[in-house]
Amino acid sequence: FSVFGARAAQAVVAALRGGGTLRSGIMGGLGAWATRHRRLLGLWVLLSVPVLWSAGVHMIGGWVPDGDDASVARRTMQVLTTDPPLIGQESTADVAYEDQNPNHPGPVAYYVMAIPYAVSGWSPVGLVAGAALVPLVGIGACLALGERTAGRRGLVAVGLGLALLFVRLGPNWLVRPLN
């Protein structure tokens, strides 16, 4: 049971007892969480800028999926059908085990990208928007784990590591669907 889940449960109980509305209880819990974790939120906003910039450049520049990205787009389109993908992208590794082709870990990224992609009418803009969600959530998760594990120092160390990773990857690779 997370802290937020406990706060939400307390808000429901308070609302049922007449001690406030459900919305005020939940929003008060979110406000208190945001106050306690303002460094994490600030660093998340700062580290989100390159991802959002890269997504904007891809959207405005007329990027179209090709090669492996086109394969990811096709698999993402299958999420909302009666035959959704159950395994990850097929690997191009040349190592096969007893006539089995290896696959990447799983289809979670397809499921994350599917809604923005479908809402956009299967436009590449929607695919890029969905692909940008993956690193944005990942940034938040990494920062939260760093803060939870080692406090402020862990938060700074993870933030610095992510910033160096973004510099190394460059803007072209931050929101590519395959990555």
Side-chain angles (χ1 to χ4, degrees), residues 58-72:
H58 279 77
M59 289 177 186
I60 293 170
W63 177 85
V64 177
D66 63 341
D68 287 339
D69 289 329
S71 177
V72 170

Side-chain angles (χ1 to χ4, degrees), residues 8-168:
Q10 291 171 350
V12 169
V13 170
L16 291 175
R17 290 185 180 162
T21 65
L22 178 61
R23 180 172 182 194
S24 67
I26 291 174
M27 296 311 281
L30 282 176
W33 183 89
T35 301
R36 283 193 316 273
H37 298 284
R38 64 185 178 278
R39 287 184 187 92
L40 184 147
L41 291 173
L43 195 51
W44 181 81
V45 167
L46 184 67
L47 290 171
S48 296
V49 170
V51 174
L52 296 173
W53 179 270
S54 178
V57 167
H58 279 77
M59 289 177 186
I60 293 170
W63 177 85
V64 177
D66 63 341
D68 287 339
D69 289 329
S71 177
V72 170
R74 182 183 54 80
R75 300 279 309 266
T76 301
M77 292 174 84
Q78 293 174 340
V79 168
L80 301 175
T81 67
T82 58
D83 188 26
L86 300 176
I87 58 175
Q89 174 84 354
E90 187 173 319
S91 176
T92 55
D94 59 354
V95 178
Y97 178 74
E98 294 181 12
D99 298 327
Q100 294 179 356
N101 292 327
N103 289 294
H104 290 278
V108 174
Y110 302 141
Y111 289 87
V112 172
M113 292 186 286
I115 299 297
Y117 196 26
V119 168
S120 73
W122 308 114
S123 164
V125 169
L127 186 63
V128 170
L133 289 175
V134 175
L136 291 174
V137 170
I139 291 167
C142 289
L143 291 173
L145 287 172
E147 183 182 51
R148 176 86 181 208
T149 303
R152 187 183 308 169
R153 288 182 181 172
L155 180 65
V156 170
V158 169
L160 182 61
L162 287 171
L164 291 172
L165 176 67
F166 293 169
V167 168
R168 176 66 181 108

